[in-house]
């Protein structure tokens, strides 16, 4: 069965304290792995798409990497405005989402 | 920047009533999707739509649900007889020419069934 698991479920960081979020997956027929940001009561906002192992994408303080079994979202020197839930999803023709990591960055 | 829009933002209905949720996908996109998120739970796939027909649907998408693209811009989700457990955020998404392309999501419709 296709499965996506994210860890940790929640993460509290001080402003400037770098960390990584993990997304491990077991799927057949992967057509890409996506990272989204979701603010409370809002729709998922696209961040990155990764298609093959070894691929990396960067945007401001965020960097996403992909291996054959997992993906990491690295957050460097986070700011309070980075506080949100970060969702990982694998594309098998439809998106299968993990449960998300809720990040809180304190000033 | 093009974006997916959804209306209404909130909908309150009585159990057993029909609701129609509306979406305007990004204009040059060809694949359309509905997902839902029950409060505190994962985002779940409902249905995908391509070339004016359903290409895939989940177990959740039973006979009470239907989708339609009534014109060149709108994409709708109809729930014929709502149940309490249909209360959720419903998200529309669209993607471009190829199945592996990024799916862009709308802001959602919060449906509350009383």
């Amino acid at each position: 069965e296709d499965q996506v698991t994210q860890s940790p479920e929640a993460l509290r960081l001080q402003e400037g304290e770098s960390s990584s979020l993990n997304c491990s997956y077991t799927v057949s027929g992967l057509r890409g792995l996506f990272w989204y940001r979701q603010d409370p009561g809002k729709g998922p906002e696209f961040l990155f798409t990764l298609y093959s192992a070894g691929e990396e994408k960067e945007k401001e303080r965020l960097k996403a990497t992909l291996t054959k079994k997992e993906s990491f979202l690295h957050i460097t020197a986070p700011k309070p405005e980075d506080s949100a839930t970060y969702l990982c999803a694998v594309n098998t023709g439809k998106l299968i989402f993990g449960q998300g990591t809720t990040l809180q960055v304190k000033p | 920047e093009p974006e997916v829009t959804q209306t209404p933002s909130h909908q309150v209905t009585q159990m057993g009533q029909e609701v129609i949720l509306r979406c305007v996908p990004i204009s040059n996109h060809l694949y359309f999707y509905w997902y839902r998120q029950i409060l505190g739970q994962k985002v779940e796939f409902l249905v995908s739509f391509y070339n004016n027909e359903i290409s895939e649907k989940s177990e959740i998408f039973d006979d009470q649900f239907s989708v339609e693209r009534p014109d060149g811009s709108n994409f709708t989700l109809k729930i014929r007889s709502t149940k309490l457990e249909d209360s959720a955020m419903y998200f529309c998404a669209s993607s471009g020419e190829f199945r592996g392309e990024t799916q862009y999501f709308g802001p959602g419709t919060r449906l509350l069934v009383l």
Side-chain angles (χ1 to χ4, degrees):
Chain A
E1 184 185 341
D2 297 336
Q3 203 165 9
V4 179
T5 304
Q6 292 187 246
S7 62
E9 286 190 15
L11 182 62
R12 284 186 176 184
L13 299 174
Q14 288 296 129
E15 184 172 2
E17 181 186 2
S18 301
S19 188
S20 296
L21 283 54
N22 177 262
C23 170
S24 61
Y25 61 91
T26 307
V27 297
S28 54
L30 180 69
R31 297 176 186 171
L33 183 143
F34 302 125
W35 283 97
Y36 291 89
R37 169 189 171 132
Q38 187 176 32
D39 291 299
K42 303 289 175 82
E45 176 189 342
F46 170 70
L47 294 173
F48 302 109
T49 306
L50 302 165
Y51 287 106
S52 55
E55 192 174 357
E56 297 183 353
K57 294 270 180 77
E58 256 183 284
K59 179 181 176 182
E60 296 181 355
R61 295 177 293 282
L62 300 177
K63 178 180 175 180
T65 61
L66 181 66
T67 71
K68 287 185 178 179
K69 294 293 183 188
E70 58 189 351
S71 177
F72 291 93
L73 185 65
H74 306 279
I75 303 178
T76 303
K79 298 182 178 182
E81 53 262 41
D82 295 323
S83 297
T85 296
Y86 290 85
L87 303 175
C88 167
V90 294
N91 189 0
T92 62
K94 62 184 184 232
L95 292 184
I96 301 171
F97 281 85
Q99 74 274 29
T101 293
T102 300
L103 172 66
Q104 184 181 30
V105 182
K106 294 194 167 184
Chain B
E1 185 174 323
E3 59 183 17
V4 177
T5 60
Q6 290 185 243
T7 54
S9 57
H10 294 81
Q11 174 96 43
V12 181
T13 190
Q14 295 292 323
M15 189 170 58
Q17 294 296 303
E18 175 183 289
V19 295
I20 298 176
L21 310 183
R22 291 181 167 81
C23 168
V24 178
I26 294 173
S27 62
N28 62 343
H29 281 182
L30 301 178
Y31 289 88
F32 314 114
Y33 310 84
W34 285 100
Y35 292 82
R36 79 172 186 190
Q37 187 175 31
I38 295 171
L39 190 63
Q41 296 188 21
K42 293 183 182 184
V43 177
E44 302 174 285
F45 168 78
L46 293 178
V47 65
S48 58
F49 192 86
Y50 172 74
N51 200 26
N52 284 318
E53 61 183 24
I54 291 174
S55 49
E56 189 173 355
K57 60 183 181 180
S58 71
E59 292 177 353
I60 303 167
F61 194 89
D62 61 22
D63 292 343
Q64 295 299 315
F65 291 88
S66 62
V67 290
E68 193 178 29
R69 187 150 164 85
D71 52 45
S73 59
N74 290 284
F75 181 50
T76 63
L77 174 69
K78 182 192 290 186
I79 309 174
R80 272 187 206 85
S81 178
T82 51
K83 304 170 189 170
L84 297 176
E85 54 266 36
D86 293 328
S87 296
M89 277 286 276
Y90 287 81
F91 296 111
C92 174
S94 68
S95 65
E97 186 177 353
F98 305 105
R99 283 198 84 182
E101 286 193 42
T102 300
Q103 294 183 27
Y104 294 91
F105 283 74
T109 293
R110 183 173 296 283
L111 177 65
L112 178 60
V113 182
L114 301 176

